[in-house]
Amino acid sequence: MCGIIAAASSRNVGKLLVQGLHRMEYRGYDSAGIALHQDEGVVHLRTLGKVKLLEEKMIQEKPRSKLGIAHTRWATHGEPSEINAHPHKSSERIYIVHNGIIENHVELKKELEEKGYAFTSQTDSELIAHLIELYLQDSSSFIDAIYKAKKRLEGAYAIAVLDYQDPNSIVVARHKSPLLIGLGTDENLAASDPLAIAQLTNEFIFLEDGDVARISSDSYEIFDTNQASVQRAITKLDITSQATSKGDYRHFMEKEIYEQPEAILNTIDGRVGAEDVLDNIFGLNSNELFSKVERIQIAACGTSLHAGRVAANWLSSIAGLPCQIDYASEYRYRNPYVDKNSLFITISQSGETADTLAALSYAKEQEYLATVGICNVPTSTLARESDFVLFTNAGPEIGVASTKAFTTQLAGLLLLTLSLAKARGLNPKLRTRVVEALRTLPEVIRDALKLKDQIIEMAPGVASKDNSLFLGRGIFYPVAKEGALKLKEISYIHAEAYPAGELKHGPLALIDEDMPVIALAPESEIAEKLISNLEEVKARGGKLYVFADPSVTMDVKAGRLIHLPKCDFLLTPIVYTIPLQILAYEVALLRGTDIDQPRNLAKSVTVE
Ligand code: G6P
């Protein structure tokens, strides 16, 4: 998704703005641009494609400027092109960068065109620049004009504005899209993502919805929704360069896969005792509230939704709670009936996914007991807006395809299940069993990562095909879905997941030698049934790749049977995810795709 960075400094800012854009590349984008203030006019450069190309333009132009704004764009309105790339301008005076969507852009554009403003792009963003210029004509100050323009905008936005007539400051505004200020030495910054400016400062101010701020090199001022000057808390955050560099790994995704033992340890650390989950790990009084819960509703997107689907099994079998799960984007459109004593749960790596936030804000209007978030980013909107939160503590996840965020979400959801079971006085022995298994999980994952060489051997069989089928049963069906999602996201191979029992109701028609079938066969009552389903595949010439418990033996002919390390059955969904991530990664490597930034995808989807 789009990324914003702005700087007001006592030194040249061109390079630091472009470096900031590089650090936001992981979010996914299709074009980039920059506007830099110079006395003789604003330097305005844009490129279609990678930030590297913008950097090359900068090297040719050699701008010198202490004030600027820059942007990476992920197209929503208007194709990816140089013309549609930000910054957009009004005359040669107002330059803006925008994240989000302006929902009433059609009527505003018409109104502005009637007033004589000419549009050069197909975006919903350009009108913001014209609107500001329009209101500047009868405003007492620049900030006043921003507030007048803001009143007209419907939708979501984070914007940064550069005014050619003001050589000292940038004005930023936030409404339902993340935006923060970074306090540097002889410079102040603004960005949509703390990673963009993490090399420059560890002091951040997270703006609130409705806030407008003005930053210059030696000062800043923040105004609230009512245009009153306000103080906002300064948060100290150490986002080390180690967390944001690949180290010896080829891709962030690879690094994040191999970081999982430690990430899981960080999720459970300080949250479980010798025999049970600790009290109130979701926040003060969460235990008391959890004791009243009779029903669960989960809403999430993408990989986070798959984590929710796995957790639904745990919630019902360990905490005795019925659980309904929805795509966050669909939840509020089905007029959900809210039973009494229901708990609303969102799961989100970024805590900024627009659909998940919209579901949460809808749920807050309903009769839920409370809202609970499972989230990786403590400073996110979701973290702020939920009644109770558990942070997964996975560290920054940069690869667009989610890996360590998923397994740590699962660990966090197990902690939630245990907390609910404990508050309801259920299954003490089972709780101890799960806690003990959780403690050994990092080691089991380490062993699962050692399967890499076997997976590298099987990868060409999948990489050479255009389709694939993933099979699992019960709690392994959502794990199969996650495996299919990983493969399609980064290798562009069509991948579908099915509960194995459904095979004969349709997908069996697709099976031939060009359809690799990847199956999950943990030891359980379902493994036996699954193996008969796999025989059906084998009999039709399908090539089988089976990840299985050491006790499972079967003839996979030219395919491959890979045994996974043993662990408690309840935790196997986490362990079986590991080889599927490695498989997707190794296949994508063979196909030479852009693994960390797959085409058309974004890390944090901040538009609905
Ligand atoms: C995007 C990302 C996925 C992620 C999903 C939900 O589609 O590419 O990796 O699972 O958003 O994101 P969240 O931050 O809410 O977990």
Side-chain angles (χ1 to χ4, degrees), residues 301-304 348-351 353 400 402 409 489 602-603 605:
C301 301
T303 289
S304 300
S348 174
Q349 189 286 126
S350 61
T353 301
V400 163
S402 192
Q409 281 168 349
E489 279 178 311
K603 179 76 186 155
V605 182

Short mmCIF file of all heavy atoms in Angstrom, two decimals, residues 301-304 348-351 353 400 402 409 489 602-603 605, ligand 1:
data_model
loop_
_atom_site.label_atom_id
_atom_site.label_comp_id
_atom_site.label_asym_id
_atom_site.label_seq_id
_atom_site.Cartn_x
_atom_site.Cartn_y
_atom_site.Cartn_z
N CYS A 301 -8.53 -10.68 7.90
CA CYS A 301 -8.32 -10.78 6.45
C CYS A 301 -7.08 -11.65 6.17
O CYS A 301 -6.15 -11.68 6.97
CB CYS A 301 -8.02 -9.42 5.84
SG CYS A 301 -9.29 -8.22 6.09
N GLY A 302 -7.06 -12.25 4.99
CA GLY A 302 -5.88 -12.94 4.48
C GLY A 302 -5.37 -14.01 5.43
O GLY A 302 -6.12 -14.81 5.99
N THR A 303 -4.06 -13.97 5.65
CA THR A 303 -3.41 -14.94 6.52
C THR A 303 -4.00 -14.88 7.93
O THR A 303 -4.20 -15.91 8.58
CB THR A 303 -1.90 -14.64 6.55
OG1 THR A 303 -1.37 -15.01 5.27
CG2 THR A 303 -1.17 -15.39 7.63
N SER A 304 -4.30 -13.68 8.41
CA SER A 304 -4.84 -13.54 9.76
C SER A 304 -6.19 -14.25 9.89
O SER A 304 -6.52 -14.80 10.94
CB SER A 304 -5.00 -12.06 10.11
OG SER A 304 -3.75 -11.43 10.06
N SER A 348 -4.81 -9.20 13.38
CA SER A 348 -4.18 -8.42 12.32
C SER A 348 -2.69 -8.24 12.62
O SER A 348 -2.33 -7.82 13.71
CB SER A 348 -4.85 -7.05 12.22
OG SER A 348 -4.17 -6.24 11.30
N GLN A 349 -1.86 -8.57 11.65
CA GLN A 349 -0.43 -8.34 11.81
C GLN A 349 -0.18 -6.85 11.98
O GLN A 349 0.39 -6.42 12.97
CB GLN A 349 0.32 -8.86 10.57
CG GLN A 349 1.84 -8.89 10.66
CD GLN A 349 2.50 -7.52 10.55
OE1 GLN A 349 3.29 -7.13 11.42
NE2 GLN A 349 2.19 -6.76 9.53
N SER A 350 -0.65 -6.06 11.01
CA SER A 350 -0.33 -4.63 10.97
C SER A 350 -1.17 -3.81 11.94
O SER A 350 -0.74 -2.77 12.41
CB SER A 350 -0.58 -4.10 9.57
OG SER A 350 -1.96 -4.27 9.23
N GLY A 351 -2.40 -4.27 12.18
CA GLY A 351 -3.32 -3.45 12.97
C GLY A 351 -3.83 -2.24 12.20
O GLY A 351 -4.42 -1.32 12.77
N THR A 353 -5.22 -2.77 8.78
CA THR A 353 -6.00 -3.24 7.63
C THR A 353 -7.39 -2.58 7.68
O THR A 353 -8.14 -2.75 8.65
CB THR A 353 -6.11 -4.77 7.66
OG1 THR A 353 -4.78 -5.28 7.62
CG2 THR A 353 -6.88 -5.30 6.48
N VAL A 400 5.94 -9.31 2.09
CA VAL A 400 4.49 -9.15 1.94
C VAL A 400 3.77 -10.44 2.36
O VAL A 400 2.73 -10.40 3.01
CB VAL A 400 4.14 -8.76 0.47
CG1 VAL A 400 2.66 -8.98 0.18
CG2 VAL A 400 4.48 -7.28 0.25
N SER A 402 2.93 -13.20 4.60
CA SER A 402 3.05 -13.29 6.05
C SER A 402 3.52 -14.68 6.49
O SER A 402 2.98 -15.69 6.03
CB SER A 402 1.68 -12.98 6.64
OG SER A 402 1.76 -12.78 8.00
N GLN A 409 0.60 -15.47 15.62
CA GLN A 409 -0.85 -15.26 15.85
C GLN A 409 -1.46 -16.54 16.41
O GLN A 409 -2.28 -16.53 17.32
CB GLN A 409 -1.57 -14.91 14.54
CG GLN A 409 -1.40 -13.47 14.12
CD GLN A 409 -1.87 -13.21 12.69
OE1 GLN A 409 -2.14 -14.14 11.93
NE2 GLN A 409 -1.95 -11.95 12.33
N GLU A 489 0.64 -16.39 -3.67
CA GLU A 489 1.11 -15.01 -3.49
C GLU A 489 2.49 -14.78 -4.11
O GLU A 489 2.70 -13.78 -4.77
CB GLU A 489 1.24 -14.69 -1.99
CG GLU A 489 -0.03 -14.30 -1.29
CD GLU A 489 0.21 -14.04 0.20
OE1 GLU A 489 0.85 -14.88 0.88
OE2 GLU A 489 -0.24 -13.02 0.68
N ALA A 602 0.02 -5.88 -1.51
CA ALA A 602 0.52 -4.90 -0.55
C ALA A 602 0.59 -5.55 0.82
O ALA A 602 -0.17 -6.46 1.12
CB ALA A 602 -0.40 -3.70 -0.50
N LYS A 603 1.52 -5.09 1.62
CA LYS A 603 1.70 -5.65 2.95
C LYS A 603 0.57 -5.23 3.88
O LYS A 603 0.00 -6.03 4.60
CB LYS A 603 3.04 -5.18 3.51
CG LYS A 603 3.35 -5.67 4.91
CD LYS A 603 3.76 -7.12 4.87
CE LYS A 603 3.93 -7.73 6.22
NZ LYS A 603 3.75 -9.19 6.16
N VAL A 605 -2.98 -3.39 3.91
CA VAL A 605 -4.01 -2.93 2.97
C VAL A 605 -4.89 -1.89 3.67
O VAL A 605 -5.85 -2.23 4.35
CB VAL A 605 -4.82 -4.11 2.41
CG1 VAL A 605 -5.85 -3.63 1.41
CG2 VAL A 605 -3.87 -5.10 1.74
C1 G6P B 1 -2.50 -8.26 3.10
C2 G6P B 1 -1.18 -8.95 3.30
C3 G6P B 1 -1.41 -10.31 3.95
C4 G6P B 1 -2.17 -10.15 5.25
C5 G6P B 1 -3.48 -9.37 5.04
C6 G6P B 1 -4.10 -8.98 6.37
O1 G6P B 1 -3.26 -8.94 2.16
O2 G6P B 1 -0.51 -9.12 2.06
O3 G6P B 1 -0.16 -10.92 4.21
O4 G6P B 1 -2.46 -11.41 5.77
O5 G6P B 1 -3.23 -8.16 4.34
O6 G6P B 1 -3.23 -8.09 7.02
P1 G6P B 1 -3.17 -7.87 8.59
O7 G6P B 1 -2.08 -6.85 8.77
O8 G6P B 1 -4.52 -7.33 8.98
O9 G6P B 1 -2.87 -9.16 9.22
#
